[in-house]
Amino acid sequence: MPSTLVIGGGPAGLAAAWAAAQTGDAVTLLDDNPALGGQIWRGEIPARYRRFLDPRITVRTGVQIHSATQLPAADRIILATGTRERFLPFPGWTLPHVLGAGGLQAMVKSGLPIAGKRVVVAGAGPLLLAVGGYLRKRGAKIVLIAEQAPLQRVARFTRSLWREPGKLLQAARLGWGLRYRTDAWPLRADPGSVTIQGHGVLRCDYLACGFGLVTNTELPELLGCKVEGGAVITDSKQRTTVPHIYFAGAGSVDRSILEGQIAGFDLERARALYPARDAAVRFDRRIDETFHLRAELSNLATPDTIVCRCEDVPFSAIWQQRDWRSAKLQTRCGMGPCQGRICGPALEHLCGWPAASVRPPIFPTRLENLLDLRD
Amino acid sequence: MIAVTINGRRADVEPGTTVAAAVMRGQAGFRRSVTGELRGPLCGMGICMECRVTLNGRAQERSCQVLCAEGMEIATDA
Amino acid sequence: MTTDVLIAGAGIVGAAIAAAFREAGGKCLVVEPKIVGGGATAAGMGHVVVMDDSPAQLALTEYSRRLWDALPLPPNVEREHRGTLWVAADAEEMEEVARKHALFPSSEILDERALYEAEPELRPGLAGGLLVPGDSVLYAPCAAAWLLRLSPVRYTAIESLTEDGARLADGTMVSAGLTILACGTGITRLLPALPIKPRKGHLAITDRYPGFLRHQLVELGYLKSAHGHSNESVAFNVQPRSTGQILIGSSRQYGDESPDVRPELLARMLRRTVEYMPRLVDLQVIRAWTGFRAATPDSLPLIGPVRDRVWVAAGHEGLGITTSLGTAALLVDRLLGDTPAIAPEPYLPERFP
């Protein structure tokens, strides 16, 4: 029986594992969280997708892949390592009441009480609305959802949704009654408040703030898959440039589920999904264009603003450097335990520096876990 | 409910609560950065490393992907 | 363009040479295709140590260490006199300790009790060690940048050596009174006959655990690994950084010219490490990387002329940081006709015909 290994138990990984199981493969699914569902579902898998939890799939949670040598042998590997938020530095962004948008949602799903708390959600992209809606459902008082994109672009996008009534309904349901404003972004955070362009100082218990999504390309890169412009290069069957390795799930949930199935299925069943996947890709592109980061966001950081949180490196130390590697060596920026995952995308946006290549371990790991590796 | 100890004080949490969430209920920030700034979790998904605590005697453990278990001893440096 | 001294390579050796020639009143130009201190300088452990594989090595390291101690280094170089503790596993290694004690200035023999007082995390059953308090650790990329702070650096490569100096990859013709090649393993591109081979090393660094380790620790077998020529060897060598992180080495390997981390060799190195410090298993490793030492057949660097107006300063193996200053001093003395502080003969390239 051919074997498929799926890394990542979010929407794409679950869909891929399920699809592979339907073809008769022996499927193993690994995820680094205690529960399946990735970041977006976090243990609360929507009812209509529970069918993905095929009992034939061997699931191992709490497993974080730091080196290629950890991967069990398989005929096929499907990488569904998902995305993370892009953080842009601004004065006060390191204060404890500032979290990512997805970050605060994740914390609430993991047991952080939010009822009665005042929350400002800020940044870029549809995730803000989803997070605002979810937190409100859990009892938070959403003071404002501040989207940086200009009104014109967001309005145009919303109008275009008439072609996709399902999505329009989704947006309306999430957003009903929420104060959502465009052309708004965080200027600074202070203890107990955030200052939003056009809205002044807003008192809040939490600022949930994220500027779009970045694909987790570290494991694909480690395994030799070609990555370009922050994206894993895949063909129509979701194959990467490495023969038996597939990649799925860099965009929206709908797209991730389609990509996962395409990666996991046999060619015939996969092909049937190509048109829907291609439409989802086009939709995601429209989202990227709509919520594209505006120029003002590159000027929020002051010389003193910390850019590398692991090593407390301020912007002033970094901007004098010639490139990412010089910055790393001379200032320690990117040398901390986050391995540049937080500051890297910020500096790529602010300075145009491309990310550096990866080396194992691609996550910090106990030394004991590195003692018995075979090439 | 699950009983854990945070900096010597007992805390009772719902099953399914992560260590990071359990700590955050009681205090805003729980780490000191290398220059002494008070910090708390940022990404909620095991990447930013701002949620590190000492867990059952082991330092520098990420806490946002670890579920609270009965008797866990959690110590923060802030 | 014209200069007195054209230096190829902005690593620690090139930087030290630029600083020394500048201080002697010369006009220098440093040429570097990548970044300052980005090669072996960045990859290595940044130790300033005395080593006694040979009298010539002892002389050069001792001299260089004195020069380092005289420099007013800025805080970002993070120089700390942690001292090196050579760890002896048994009575035979204690004899080696005694032998070294006679050679190393102000060193101190530690018995078993004193060893564990100095480093409680070492595994039980060791015999003792030799403490060399004058040794230090520093952060080499910032040291290189500091040494270069007053010298012009041109970010391009030397395409070829000419009668008069060099032709640079960006098309510039440089006319130089003297060209010094300090480009580490890259030197064989310009001078293929030089007996320099890349010797790959692995390193790993942990998260911050202040107080876990106080001194640089080295096993006595380190020299066998470093100055032997087996294809692949590991030796226990850990170093505390000022951040509280623990830097872990060392491995040596010929024949693998890829910069990729080899998990199996990394594992072998780490297994050797935990043999000496068992509780390291619990520490978080946040990064691993590799670097290429420039190695010569006799474990001594090439310092001096190869032909008229072309000198080399390369092949420092694992002692580049330490001996960069001594290398630079020897070269300045040679140019000015001054009597050098140590005999330069053992390092002259002409010893390899």
Side-chain angles (χ1 to χ4, degrees):
Chain A
M1 191 189 281
S3 57
T4 294
L5 174 66
V6 180
I7 311 287
L14 288 172
W18 173 81
Q22 306 321 300
T23 70
D25 280 12
V27 185
T28 302
L29 172 62
L30 305 180
D31 189 87
D32 59 349
N33 281 283
L36 292 177
Q39 299 316 314
I40 196 78
W41 291 335
R42 253 196 122 86
E44 296 164 12
I45 298 170
R48 67 186 177 288
Y49 296 123
R50 300 236 177 94
R51 64 194 171 100
F52 285 158
L53 302 168
D54 189 309
R56 292 172 291 176
I57 302 168
T58 303
V59 174
R60 278 165 44 207
T61 54
V63 177
Q64 186 161 70
I65 304 298
H66 53 73
S67 305
T69 48
Q70 271 172 287
L71 299 176
D75 296 307
R76 196 159 67 125
I77 301 177
I78 303 177
L79 301 176
T81 44
T83 57
R84 61 182 186 270
E85 288 184 279
R86 177 188 289 106
F87 296 99
L88 295 179
F90 53 88
W93 78 294
T94 58
L95 288 169
H97 71 300
V98 180
L99 285 84
L104 182 59
Q105 177 172 279
M107 295 298 298
V108 171
K109 288 192 184 225
S110 309
L112 180 72
I114 202 77
K117 304 281 189 190
R118 294 173 57 91
V119 180
V120 173
V121 185
L127 180 63
L128 303 185
L129 199 56
V131 168
Y134 175 78
L135 295 178
R136 178 183 51 178
K137 207 168 60 174
R138 297 293 300 270
K141 168 149 177 47
I142 305 298
V143 174
L144 178 70
I145 300 182
E147 167 59 56
Q148 52 87 41
L151 176 62
Q152 197 183 33
R153 262 197 258 140
V154 178
R156 191 182 336 135
F157 174 75
T158 314
R159 280 196 303 272
S160 78
L161 288 179
W162 71 265
R163 286 181 237 131
E164 281 124 323
K167 293 221 195 310
L168 199 55
L169 190 61
Q170 195 181 49
R173 222 191 274 127
L174 275 174
W176 195 256
L178 285 174
R179 206 164 149 238
Y180 180 92
R181 296 289 180 269
T182 57
D183 295 281
W185 59 88
L187 293 171
R188 56 174 299 118
D190 293 290
S193 73
V194 58
T195 306
I196 298 282
Q197 166 70 30
H199 296 267
V201 179
L202 303 172
R203 276 186 313 109
C204 61
D205 297 297
Y206 295 109
L207 170 62
C209 180
F211 295 92
L213 300 176
V214 169
T215 305
N216 293 320
T217 56
E218 291 77 16
L219 183 56
E221 246 192 276
L222 185 66
L223 299 179
C225 305
K226 183 153 183 244
V227 170
E228 214 163 82
V232 181
I233 305 296
T234 50
D235 67 7
S236 53
K237 182 68 173 66
Q238 304 296 141
R239 275 180 292 237
T240 68
T241 52
V242 177
H244 63 294
I245 302 182
Y246 296 68
F247 182 84
S252 57
V253 171
D254 292 342
R255 177 177 158 191
S256 297
I257 290 172
L258 288 163
E259 287 185 345
Q261 289 174 85
I262 288 170
F265 272 145
D266 51 273
L267 190 57
E268 198 185 318
R269 277 186 273 195
R271 273 212 182 113
L273 297 174
Y274 285 6
R277 186 269 317 272
D278 294 345
V281 170
R282 285 193 298 271
F283 184 76
D284 277 5
R285 209 166 284 143
R286 275 163 53 207
I287 289 190
D288 287 344
E289 282 160 11
T290 303
F291 298 101
H292 178 73
L293 298 179
R294 62 196 296 156
E296 289 91 328
L297 301 177
S298 301
N299 297 325
L300 299 177
T302 70
D304 291 334
T305 305
I306 285 180
V307 174
C308 166
R309 296 171 69 116
C310 293
E311 299 291 326
D312 281 5
V313 186
F315 197 30
S316 59
I318 295 170
W319 77 36
Q320 318 160 14
Q321 300 297 328
R322 307 181 68 233
D323 56 24
W324 180 222
R325 194 140 188 274
S326 288
K328 243 180 134 166
L329 291 178
Q330 293 297 319
T331 72
R332 284 195 189 287
C333 174
M335 278 196 176
C338 95
Q339 303 180 333
R341 282 184 172 84
I342 303 295
C343 59
L347 288 169
E348 185 171 0
H349 185 75
L350 297 175
C351 305
W353 292 341
S357 56
V358 295
R359 287 177 303 233
I362 59 170
F363 283 102
T365 191
R366 285 178 61 239
L367 191 146
E368 183 170 49
N369 297 330
L370 297 172
L371 290 182
D372 192 23
L373 307 175
R374 312 255 171 266
D375 249 316
Chain B
M1 296 295 267
I2 295 174
V4 299
T5 313
I6 302 175
N7 294 325
R9 291 173 353 255
R10 177 186 162 131
D12 292 298
V13 299
E14 301 270 353
T17 301
T18 60
V19 172
V23 177
M24 260 182 98
R25 300 160 117 241
Q27 51 187 110
F30 49 85
R31 241 195 93 239
R32 290 277 168 201
S33 75
V34 304
T35 61
E37 273 193 4
L38 190 62
R39 296 280 174 82
L42 175 72
C43 75
M45 56 187 283
I47 273 173
C48 71
M49 310 298 287
E50 295 279 29
C51 67
R52 282 173 285 161
V53 299
T54 299
L55 201 51
N56 294 334
R58 257 196 214 143
Q60 309 286 20
E61 298 277 312
R62 272 168 284 172
S63 61
C64 69
Q65 291 178 310
V66 178
L67 293 177
C68 286
E70 187 69 29
M72 247 181 191
E73 281 178 21
I74 302 152
T76 65
D77 65 12
Chain C
M1 86 185 301
T2 310
T3 188
D4 295 335
V5 183
L6 172 64
I7 299 167
I12 195 76
V13 175
I17 295 171
F21 273 90
R22 203 184 177 284
E23 192 160 317
K27 196 173 129 193
C28 293
L29 172 66
V30 178
V31 163
E32 166 56 58
K34 295 186 189 155
I35 63 176
V36 169
T41 301
M45 289 182 94
H47 48 211
V48 178
V49 294
V50 289
M51 287 263 175
D52 64 324
D53 178 58
S54 60
Q57 185 181 87
L58 183 61
L60 185 59
T61 55
E62 252 197 299
Y63 176 40
S64 300
R65 202 181 69 171
R66 278 203 307 277
L67 294 173
W68 275 109
D69 284 345
L71 286 183
L73 300 171
N76 72 345
V77 175
E78 295 173 9
R79 186 246 310 269
E80 292 183 321
H81 283 92
R82 293 284 193 155
T84 302
L85 211 168
W86 291 84
V87 179
D90 53 35
E92 192 186 326
E93 291 196 347
M94 281 305 276
E95 280 172 33
E96 174 63 13
V97 161
R99 199 194 60 79
K100 271 176 147 59
H101 173 60
L103 290 174
F104 286 179
S106 31
S107 58
E108 187 192 324
I109 297 182
L110 303 182
D111 64 13
E112 197 184 320
R113 197 189 53 85
L115 178 71
Y116 290 109
E117 216 166 289
E119 289 292 352
E121 294 292 347
L122 283 168
R123 72 154 167 88
L126 298 167
L130 182 74
L131 177 62
V132 187
D135 286 351
S136 50
V137 305
L138 52 76
Y139 183 59
C142 285
W146 182 76
L147 288 165
L148 276 174
R149 70 200 180 287
L150 300 170
S151 303
V153 178
R154 202 182 174 93
Y155 290 97
T156 182
I158 288 189
E159 192 187 281
S160 55
L161 298 168
T162 63
E163 280 277 304
D164 196 36
R167 180 199 187 84
L168 304 184
D170 64 8
T172 316
M173 297 297 290
V174 180
S175 170
L178 174 63
T179 300
I180 305 180
L181 304 179
C183 31
T185 52
I187 204 171
T188 49
R189 182 178 62 84
L190 293 168
L191 296 172
L194 289 185
I196 287 184
K197 286 203 296 183
R199 204 164 188 202
K200 185 174 176 182
H202 283 71
L203 296 99
I205 196 163
T206 67
D207 205 336
R208 291 161 186 250
Y209 299 92
F212 190 94
L213 182 67
R214 294 124 192 226
H215 309 82
Q216 169 162 236
L217 301 182
V218 197
E219 64 164 295
L220 277 155
Y222 178 86
L223 282 176
K224 253 188 307 213
S225 168
H227 305 121
H229 292 281
S230 87
N231 213 47
E232 196 183 285
S233 62
V234 299
F236 170 66
N237 182 196
V238 295
Q239 191 188 78
R241 307 298 306 174
S242 66
T243 56
Q245 293 170 281
I246 293 153
L247 186 49
I248 303 172
S250 65
S251 82
R252 286 172 156 81
Q253 189 186 11
Y254 284 117
D256 179 2
E257 300 198 12
S258 154
D260 290 349
V261 169
R262 297 288 180 221
E264 196 177 74
L265 190 48
L266 179 68
R268 193 179 152 197
M269 181 181 90
L270 294 176
R271 285 195 295 268
R272 185 66 178 162
T273 309
V274 306
E275 270 174 45
Y276 279 86
M277 289 203 122
R279 290 214 311 137
L280 278 172
V281 294
D282 276 340
L283 305 193
Q284 296 281 333
V285 171
I286 66 172
R287 206 161 78 248
W289 66 95
T290 64
F292 291 91
R293 307 171 183 84
T296 60
D298 61 1
S299 306
L300 291 173
L302 303 174
I303 308 172
V306 289
R307 61 179 200 233
D308 188 39
R309 292 161 65 196
V310 177
W311 294 1
V312 300
H316 296 78
E317 223 265 355
L319 288 171
I321 310 302
T322 303
T323 59
S324 56
L325 297 187
T327 300
L330 283 174
L331 293 178
V332 169
D333 287 339
R334 169 172 278 268
L335 183 70
L336 299 181
D338 290 342
T339 311
I342 59 172
E345 286 77 18
Y347 325 106
L348 293 175
E350 66 195 40
R351 72 189 190 270
F352 296 111

